[in-house]
C-alpha cells in the first residue's frame, strides 16, 4: 500500500450528506471544509502536481459553501478572508476561471457587509479587475479598475498608496489594450 497523503469523498457519501443533514449542520461542515482548504492552499511548499489535484476539491467545497452561506452573521468576514486566501492560491497557479468565481463572490459579499466605499471592498474590487485582466477580459477589467480608482480617490485621497496601486493597475490594463498614451499619462 502506498503512502497516501490525501483522501477523497465518494460522490454517493457527499450526496447523502447533502440530502440527510440539517441545513445548519451542512453550513457548519462546509465552513470547516473551507477552513481546511484555506490551510491546505496556504502551504507554499506543495508541489505543482499536488496543487492541481486540489483544484476540483477546492471548487466543490466552494460551490457547496456559496450555496449554503448566502446570509450574514458574525463570522462572515472570517469566511470571506478564507475565500480570499483560496482565491489567491487559484490566481497564483493560473486557474483564473475558478479564481474569478471566488473573487466575484468575495466582492459581492464584502460590498454587502461593509458597503461600497469601504477600503476592503475597494481592494476586493481591484482584485476582481486583476483576475479579469489575467483572463484577457481587458474591457471589463478597465471598467472595474476605473470604478475602483474613482472610489479610492474619493475615499482615500489621490496620494494614498492604494489609490496609486489602482492607477498603476489601470495603466497596466490600458497598456495591454495597446492604449499606450493614456497608460503613460496615468503612470
Amino acid at each position: 500500500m502506498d503512502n497516501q497523503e490525501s483522501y477523497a469523498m465518494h460522490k454517493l457519501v457527499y450526496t447523502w450528506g447533502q440530502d440527510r443533514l440539517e441545513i445548519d449542520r451542512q453550513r457548519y461542515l462546509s465552513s470547516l471544509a473551507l477552513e481546511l482548504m484555506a490551510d491546505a492552499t496556504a502551504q507554499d511548499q506543495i508541489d505543482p502536481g499536488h496543487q492541481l489535484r486540489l483544484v476540483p476539491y477546492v471548487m466543490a467545497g466552494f460551490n457547496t459553501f456559496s450555496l449554503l452561506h448566502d446570509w450574514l452573521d458574525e463570522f462572515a468576514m472570517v469566511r470571506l478572508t478564507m475565500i480570499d486566501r483560496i482565491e489567491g492560491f487559484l490566481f497564483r497557479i493560473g486557474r483564473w476561471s475558478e479564481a474569478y468565481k471566488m473573487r466575484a463572490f468575495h466582492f459581492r459579499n464584502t460590498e454587502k457587509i461593509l458597503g461600497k466605499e469601504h477600503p476592503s471592498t475597494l481592494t476586493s474590487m481591484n482584485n476582481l479587475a486583476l483576475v479579469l485582466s489575467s483572463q484577457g477580459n481587458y474591457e471589463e477589467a478597465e471598467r472595474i479598475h476605473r470604478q475602483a480608482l474613482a472610489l479610492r480617490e474619493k475615499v482615500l485621497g489621490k496620494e494614498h498608496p492604494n489609490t496609486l496601486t489602482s492607477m498603476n493597475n489601470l495603466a497596466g490594463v490600458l497598456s495591454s489594450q495597446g492604449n499606450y498614451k493614456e497608460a503613460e499619462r496615468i503612470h
Side-chain angles (χ1 to χ4, degrees):
M1 180 177 244
D2 63 32
N3 184 10
Q4 188 169 349
E5 295 182 20
S6 61
Y7 299 92
M9 183 184 296
H10 192 280
K11 289 180 181 182
L12 183 60
V13 175
Y14 177 80
T15 303
W16 175 87
Q18 285 186 310
D19 186 49
R20 304 290 179 177
L21 293 174
E22 298 284 329
I23 193 76
D24 287 340
R25 188 75 177 153
Q26 288 182 42
R27 283 184 181 129
Y28 171 74
L29 292 174
S30 71
S31 290
L32 279 178
L34 186 73
E35 188 174 345
L36 289 170
M37 288 296 165
D39 288 343
T41 57
Q43 299 173 16
D44 290 333
Q45 285 82 24
I46 54 179
D47 68 271
H50 187 67
Q51 289 177 344
L52 291 175
R53 283 192 303 273
L54 282 175
V55 173
Y57 300 104
V58 165
M59 292 313 296
F62 170 73
N63 290 335
T64 299
F65 177 86
S66 63
L67 291 173
L68 294 170
H69 290 277
D70 195 25
W71 48 278
L72 307 177
D73 66 9
E74 67 271 17
F75 299 110
M77 286 310 298
V78 172
R79 289 189 299 264
L80 285 173
T81 299
M82 287 187 280
I83 288 170
D84 184 59
R85 288 174 37 206
I86 297 168
E87 183 274 334
F89 160 77
L90 292 167
F91 187 87
R92 284 190 309 276
I93 65 170
R95 298 300 294 248
W96 296 308
S97 294
E98 293 93 342
Y100 173 79
K101 212 172 166 183
M102 283 194 181
R103 178 53 54 198
F105 178 88
H106 185 276
F107 172 63
R108 278 192 314 274
N109 286 283
T110 302
E111 184 177 42
K112 191 185 305 181
I113 294 167
L114 300 175
K116 186 175 184 170
E117 295 184 353
H118 190 279
S120 294
T121 302
L122 301 178
T123 296
S124 187
M125 178 187 284
N126 180 71
N127 292 342
L128 178 61
L130 290 173
V131 173
L132 287 165
S133 181
S134 295
Q135 289 179 314
N137 191 346
Y138 299 123
E139 282 112 26
E140 184 69 6
E142 178 187 348
R143 184 186 68 74
I144 293 173
H145 273 309
R146 286 186 187 281
Q147 189 178 9
L149 176 59
L151 287 168
R152 279 183 163 171
E153 284 179 346
K154 176 184 171 188
V155 173
L156 304 172
K158 291 186 179 208
E159 300 295 320
H160 191 278
N162 290 352
T163 304
L164 299 175
T165 296
S166 283
M167 290 177 72
N168 183 63
N169 292 341
L170 174 58
V173 167
L174 292 168
S175 180
S176 295
Q177 293 174 312
N179 191 346
Y180 302 119
K181 288 198 185 287
E182 189 177 4
E184 182 179 14
R185 183 185 63 76
I186 291 173
H187 269 300

